[in-house]
Amino acid sequence: MSLTLYFIRHGESVSNVGGMTMEHGSIPLSDKGKHQAQVVAETLSVVPSQVLVSGLIRSKQTAQPFCDKHQVNYQINPLLNEVHAISHELIDGMTGEQRSPIAQAYWMEGDVNKRTGEHADTFNEFRGRVDGFIGAMVDLPDNTVIFGHGIWFGLLMWRLMGFEAHDRQGMLGFRRFQGGLPLLNGMAYVLQSVDSGQWNIKVHQGLLQRLKELEL
């Protein structure tokens, strides 16, 4: 039986544009991100069977205009939560430019069990969330719409292609892949099951075009 899911990355957040460090789950959309959320609601024509979001506010804010349009409530799924690589108290008061070398050092080290601060994830914990979601994908209703995060979706794709991410080599390989994955804020991918555990993934071209127009 065919199954189609839609994944939308959240709109631009204040962190995406280098804003001061905030608690991981409380980073809101920028004004541009709110506009992108409206564009998603206007452009994505699917009638959702359900809408899933992460527990992070930027995911919820992106989903809300779409939910309002279809008069549905979103459901929070903690497995969708983005990786929290560096606990916010360790980078308090820093701008994006100041945070960047710390984040780069974390990824270059490739320690899948390292916890950088009290509230941070290990990479293996993050991978476990993504793998947990993958295990439940075939049981989702057709036309489920998911609002989530860029690194999370990159790891979803990496794992669906059959690549491992349990050790340093896998983590470093994933990071190289994720760094080159086209995933603008507000961008959508369509996932279609073709067999048990097998998925076709393609970009939603109509929404991509609308987002590109915002940049002109």
Side-chain angles (χ1 to χ4, degrees), residues 63-78:
Q64 193 62 61
F66 181 81
C67 289
D68 291 343
K69 176 182 177 180
H70 294 282
Q71 299 183 341
V72 298
N73 295 319
Y74 57 67
Q75 302 174 45
I76 297 173
N77 186 330

PDB file of all heavy atoms in Angstrom, residues 63-78:
ATOM      1  N   ALA A  63       4.352  25.252  12.003  1.00  0.00           N
ATOM      2  CA  ALA A  63       3.172  24.432  11.724  1.00  0.00           C
ATOM      3  C   ALA A  63       1.861  25.184  11.919  1.00  0.00           C
ATOM      4  O   ALA A  63       0.858  24.855  11.273  1.00  0.00           O
ATOM      5  CB  ALA A  63       3.186  23.196  12.626  1.00  0.00           C
ATOM      6  N   GLN A  64       1.841  26.189  12.788  1.00  0.00           N
ATOM      7  CA  GLN A  64       0.570  26.778  13.202  1.00  0.00           C
ATOM      8  C   GLN A  64      -0.257  27.357  12.052  1.00  0.00           C
ATOM      9  O   GLN A  64      -1.471  27.092  11.983  1.00  0.00           O
ATOM     10  CB  GLN A  64       0.809  27.847  14.275  1.00  0.00           C
ATOM     11  CG  GLN A  64      -0.477  28.278  14.976  1.00  0.00           C
ATOM     12  CD  GLN A  64      -1.141  27.124  15.711  1.00  0.00           C
ATOM     13  OE1 GLN A  64      -0.553  26.542  16.614  1.00  0.00           O
ATOM     14  NE2 GLN A  64      -2.356  26.762  15.299  1.00  0.00           N
ATOM     15  N   PRO A  65       0.318  28.148  11.120  1.00  0.00           N
ATOM     16  CA  PRO A  65      -0.518  28.643  10.022  1.00  0.00           C
ATOM     17  C   PRO A  65      -1.115  27.526   9.170  1.00  0.00           C
ATOM     18  O   PRO A  65      -2.269  27.631   8.722  1.00  0.00           O
ATOM     19  CB  PRO A  65       0.457  29.510   9.206  1.00  0.00           C
ATOM     20  CG  PRO A  65       1.511  29.913  10.168  1.00  0.00           C
ATOM     21  CD  PRO A  65       1.679  28.732  11.072  1.00  0.00           C
ATOM     22  N   PHE A  66      -0.366  26.470   8.939  1.00  0.00           N
ATOM     23  CA  PHE A  66      -0.870  25.317   8.185  1.00  0.00           C
ATOM     24  C   PHE A  66      -2.010  24.652   8.959  1.00  0.00           C
ATOM     25  O   PHE A  66      -3.041  24.292   8.380  1.00  0.00           O
ATOM     26  CB  PHE A  66       0.264  24.335   7.932  1.00  0.00           C
ATOM     27  CG  PHE A  66      -0.128  23.122   7.149  1.00  0.00           C
ATOM     28  CD1 PHE A  66      -0.217  23.179   5.759  1.00  0.00           C
ATOM     29  CD2 PHE A  66      -0.392  21.922   7.784  1.00  0.00           C
ATOM     30  CE1 PHE A  66      -0.591  22.053   5.023  1.00  0.00           C
ATOM     31  CE2 PHE A  66      -0.753  20.796   7.060  1.00  0.00           C
ATOM     32  CZ  PHE A  66      -0.857  20.861   5.675  1.00  0.00           C
ATOM     33  N   CYS A  67      -1.843  24.492  10.264  1.00  0.00           N
ATOM     34  CA  CYS A  67      -2.894  23.901  11.092  1.00  0.00           C
ATOM     35  C   CYS A  67      -4.140  24.784  11.109  1.00  0.00           C
ATOM     36  O   CYS A  67      -5.277  24.284  11.043  1.00  0.00           O
ATOM     37  CB  CYS A  67      -2.383  23.681  12.509  1.00  0.00           C
ATOM     38  SG  CYS A  67      -1.162  22.362  12.665  1.00  0.00           S
ATOM     39  N   ASP A  68      -3.944  26.084  11.202  1.00  0.00           N
ATOM     40  CA  ASP A  68      -5.084  27.004  11.194  1.00  0.00           C
ATOM     41  C   ASP A  68      -5.858  26.882   9.887  1.00  0.00           C
ATOM     42  O   ASP A  68      -7.104  26.890   9.880  1.00  0.00           O
ATOM     43  CB  ASP A  68      -4.605  28.449  11.372  1.00  0.00           C
ATOM     44  CG  ASP A  68      -4.062  28.724  12.768  1.00  0.00           C
ATOM     45  OD1 ASP A  68      -4.334  27.920  13.682  1.00  0.00           O
ATOM     46  OD2 ASP A  68      -3.361  29.741  12.934  1.00  0.00           O
ATOM     47  N   LYS A  69      -5.145  26.778   8.777  1.00  0.00           N
ATOM     48  CA  LYS A  69      -5.791  26.665   7.464  1.00  0.00           C
ATOM     49  C   LYS A  69      -6.673  25.425   7.392  1.00  0.00           C
ATOM     50  O   LYS A  69      -7.787  25.470   6.826  1.00  0.00           O
ATOM     51  CB  LYS A  69      -4.721  26.624   6.373  1.00  0.00           C
ATOM     52  CG  LYS A  69      -5.263  26.402   4.969  1.00  0.00           C
ATOM     53  CD  LYS A  69      -4.120  26.318   3.959  1.00  0.00           C
ATOM     54  CE  LYS A  69      -4.646  26.030   2.546  1.00  0.00           C
ATOM     55  NZ  LYS A  69      -3.528  25.941   1.569  1.00  0.00           N
ATOM     56  N   HIS A  70      -6.190  24.323   7.957  1.00  0.00           N
ATOM     57  CA  HIS A  70      -6.915  23.058   7.855  1.00  0.00           C
ATOM     58  C   HIS A  70      -7.731  22.737   9.109  1.00  0.00           C
ATOM     59  O   HIS A  70      -8.341  21.660   9.169  1.00  0.00           O
ATOM     60  CB  HIS A  70      -5.934  21.928   7.559  1.00  0.00           C
ATOM     61  CG  HIS A  70      -5.293  22.044   6.215  1.00  0.00           C
ATOM     62  ND1 HIS A  70      -5.933  21.697   5.042  1.00  0.00           N
ATOM     63  CD2 HIS A  70      -4.063  22.502   5.844  1.00  0.00           C
ATOM     64  CE1 HIS A  70      -5.125  21.919   4.010  1.00  0.00           C
ATOM     65  NE2 HIS A  70      -3.987  22.403   4.466  1.00  0.00           N
ATOM     66  N   GLN A  71      -7.728  23.654  10.055  1.00  0.00           N
ATOM     67  CA  GLN A  71      -8.511  23.503  11.285  1.00  0.00           C
ATOM     68  C   GLN A  71      -8.208  22.177  11.990  1.00  0.00           C
ATOM     69  O   GLN A  71      -9.096  21.398  12.348  1.00  0.00           O
ATOM     70  CB  GLN A  71     -10.011  23.629  10.986  1.00  0.00           C
ATOM     71  CG  GLN A  71     -10.384  24.986  10.399  1.00  0.00           C
ATOM     72  CD  GLN A  71     -11.876  25.140  10.164  1.00  0.00           C
ATOM     73  OE1 GLN A  71     -12.632  24.166  10.095  1.00  0.00           O
ATOM     74  NE2 GLN A  71     -12.324  26.370  10.040  1.00  0.00           N
ATOM     75  N   VAL A  72      -6.900  21.947  12.168  1.00  0.00           N
ATOM     76  CA  VAL A  72      -6.438  20.772  12.901  1.00  0.00           C
ATOM     77  C   VAL A  72      -5.459  21.230  13.974  1.00  0.00           C
ATOM     78  O   VAL A  72      -4.903  22.330  13.904  1.00  0.00           O
ATOM     79  CB  VAL A  72      -5.756  19.744  11.970  1.00  0.00           C
ATOM     80  CG1 VAL A  72      -6.731  19.223  10.933  1.00  0.00           C
ATOM     81  CG2 VAL A  72      -4.525  20.348  11.294  1.00  0.00           C
ATOM     82  N   ASN A  73      -5.245  20.389  14.952  1.00  0.00           N
ATOM     83  CA  ASN A  73      -4.241  20.640  15.981  1.00  0.00           C
ATOM     84  C   ASN A  73      -3.022  19.773  15.714  1.00  0.00           C
ATOM     85  O   ASN A  73      -3.145  18.613  15.303  1.00  0.00           O
ATOM     86  CB  ASN A  73      -4.789  20.304  17.371  1.00  0.00           C
ATOM     87  CG  ASN A  73      -5.929  21.225  17.763  1.00  0.00           C
ATOM     88  OD1 ASN A  73      -5.895  22.429  17.519  1.00  0.00           O
ATOM     89  ND2 ASN A  73      -6.962  20.661  18.380  1.00  0.00           N
ATOM     90  N   TYR A  74      -1.838  20.338  15.929  1.00  0.00           N
ATOM     91  CA  TYR A  74      -0.636  19.527  15.783  1.00  0.00           C
ATOM     92  C   TYR A  74      -0.448  18.636  17.005  1.00  0.00           C
ATOM     93  O   TYR A  74      -0.979  18.904  18.091  1.00  0.00           O
ATOM     94  CB  TYR A  74       0.598  20.383  15.531  1.00  0.00           C
ATOM     95  CG  TYR A  74       0.913  21.439  16.570  1.00  0.00           C
ATOM     96  CD1 TYR A  74       1.314  21.099  17.877  1.00  0.00           C
ATOM     97  CD2 TYR A  74       0.841  22.789  16.252  1.00  0.00           C
ATOM     98  CE1 TYR A  74       1.619  22.058  18.813  1.00  0.00           C
ATOM     99  CE2 TYR A  74       1.146  23.772  17.193  1.00  0.00           C
ATOM    100  CZ  TYR A  74       1.537  23.395  18.463  1.00  0.00           C
ATOM    101  OH  TYR A  74       1.842  24.348  19.401  1.00  0.00           O
ATOM    102  N   GLN A  75       0.314  17.568  16.804  1.00  0.00           N
ATOM    103  CA  GLN A  75       0.678  16.642  17.869  1.00  0.00           C
ATOM    104  C   GLN A  75       2.193  16.685  18.056  1.00  0.00           C
ATOM    105  O   GLN A  75       2.936  16.628  17.077  1.00  0.00           O
ATOM    106  CB  GLN A  75       0.249  15.219  17.519  1.00  0.00           C
ATOM    107  CG  GLN A  75      -1.235  15.049  17.256  1.00  0.00           C
ATOM    108  CD  GLN A  75      -1.563  13.651  16.777  1.00  0.00           C
ATOM    109  OE1 GLN A  75      -1.066  12.653  17.331  1.00  0.00           O
ATOM    110  NE2 GLN A  75      -2.378  13.546  15.748  1.00  0.00           N
ATOM    111  N   ILE A  76       2.637  16.799  19.288  1.00  0.00           N
ATOM    112  CA  ILE A  76       4.073  16.843  19.579  1.00  0.00           C
ATOM    113  C   ILE A  76       4.622  15.425  19.639  1.00  0.00           C
ATOM    114  O   ILE A  76       4.090  14.561  20.340  1.00  0.00           O
ATOM    115  CB  ILE A  76       4.339  17.571  20.902  1.00  0.00           C
ATOM    116  CG1 ILE A  76       3.878  19.027  20.819  1.00  0.00           C
ATOM    117  CG2 ILE A  76       5.819  17.505  21.269  1.00  0.00           C
ATOM    118  CD1 ILE A  76       3.941  19.770  22.138  1.00  0.00           C
ATOM    119  N   ASN A  77       5.691  15.196  18.876  1.00  0.00           N
ATOM    120  CA  ASN A  77       6.388  13.910  18.905  1.00  0.00           C
ATOM    121  C   ASN A  77       7.841  14.177  19.290  1.00  0.00           C
ATOM    122  O   ASN A  77       8.610  14.707  18.486  1.00  0.00           O
ATOM    123  CB  ASN A  77       6.311  13.232  17.535  1.00  0.00           C
ATOM    124  CG  ASN A  77       6.897  11.830  17.554  1.00  0.00           C
ATOM    125  OD1 ASN A  77       7.807  11.534  18.327  1.00  0.00           O
ATOM    126  ND2 ASN A  77       6.391  10.955  16.700  1.00  0.00           N
ATOM    127  N   PRO A  78       8.248  13.832  20.513  1.00  0.00           N
ATOM    128  CA  PRO A  78       9.614  14.123  20.966  1.00  0.00           C
ATOM    129  C   PRO A  78      10.706  13.476  20.122  1.00  0.00           C
ATOM    130  O   PRO A  78      11.853  13.936  20.150  1.00  0.00           O
ATOM    131  CB  PRO A  78       9.634  13.584  22.404  1.00  0.00           C
ATOM    132  CG  PRO A  78       8.203  13.530  22.820  1.00  0.00           C
ATOM    133  CD  PRO A  78       7.441  13.215  21.572  1.00  0.00           C
TER     134      PRO A  78
END
